[in-house]
Amino acid sequence: MTVLDSLLDRVRESRREFVAYADERAADDLANLFGSHGVHVERRPLPSPHVDPFLVVSDDDGEFAGAIGIDDLEGLLEPPVRPPAEHDAVSEGYRVLFELLEETVFSTMERSELLAVSREIEDRAARADGGTLRACFQRFAAFAPQIDRYRCLGARPNLDVHVHAVGDETPPALPGVQYHTDASGALDRYWALAFESDGVPAETTALVARQDGDTYEGFWTDDPQVTRDVASALANA
């Protein structure tokens, strides 16, 4: 078992409760949306007919984690994709959703969804005053579509960018970007990113996803220790 396997198992043990305050139709739509990701949604009636439907998320201790209007969930994991130099690359509503669902293990994430989460992490790295971004897209062949984006990231001042992958081909040299070849093949199943900023207070965020057939099981987090663990696992692979 790899360190990334252990991290995934550890987060999976931490369950979150999803409660939709909505009518049956809206709750069913939400259940279908999250059900495809292995997340159960409980429905409860709206506290008032004058309140718009909303979703509440609690942690495994029953503590309130956050809430968001159901209408705002329509763009789940589909933020606009723009160069990281543009600070509005990901909408504010999406950032709220990103924080709301952190450390929730999704069991059937598609590549497009992972790319959206990756965009948020890369965008945070681009907005920060400096720090270290480590990214693994499994194989260098899979990294090829990201070259223009990482050329921009490598040009950001004080941002240390590392790309890790199984060495199936040789990527082009990019100023400010260091490549690390995983000769063991341990990263072949993993799509993972970790960003640690140099700011005070420091921003940290990470993504870990393990491929299972055509989909992925994974999570993202803002927890500093988990982020350090992800970064260390990539650095030592």
Side-chain angles (χ1 to χ4, degrees), residues 197-209:
S197 80
D198 293 336
V200 180
E203 273 196 63
T204 65
T205 184
L207 163 70
V208 174

Side-chain angles (χ1 to χ4, degrees), residues 177-190:
V177 177
Q178 298 181 51
Y179 294 113
H180 305 271
T181 300
D182 169 32
S184 70
L187 298 178
D188 185 58
R189 297 180 61 198
Y190 280 96

Side-chain angles (χ1 to χ4, degrees), residues 111 119 140-149:
R111 290 184 64 87
R119 290 290 183 264
F140 281 125
F143 171 71
Q146 316 304 322
I147 287 173
D148 286 343
R149 171 167 288 269

Side-chain angles (χ1 to χ4, degrees), residues 97-190:
L97 185 61
F98 183 96
E99 293 171 3
L100 181 67
L101 301 181
E102 69 160 330
E103 297 193 21
T104 297
V105 173
F106 291 116
S107 58
T108 56
M109 297 182 75
E110 304 289 341
R111 290 184 64 87
S112 60
E113 295 172 324
L114 285 174
L115 188 60
V117 177
S118 301
R119 290 290 183 264
E120 164 65 8
I121 295 174
E122 293 160 355
D123 187 61
R124 290 186 182 189
R127 297 196 311 268
D129 292 333
T132 301
L133 173 68
R134 293 187 179 274
C136 170
F137 295 94
Q138 299 177 275
R139 295 167 296 280
F140 281 125
F143 171 71
Q146 316 304 322
I147 287 173
D148 286 343
R149 171 167 288 269
Y150 275 75
R151 181 178 288 110
C152 292
L153 287 166
R156 301 295 296 179
N158 304 317
L159 180 61
D160 193 15
V161 181
H162 299 261
V163 175
H164 305 258
V166 173
D168 55 340
E169 61 181 53
T170 302
L174 299 177
V177 177
Q178 298 181 51
Y179 294 113
H180 305 271
T181 300
D182 169 32
S184 70
L187 298 178
D188 185 58
R189 297 180 61 198
Y190 280 96

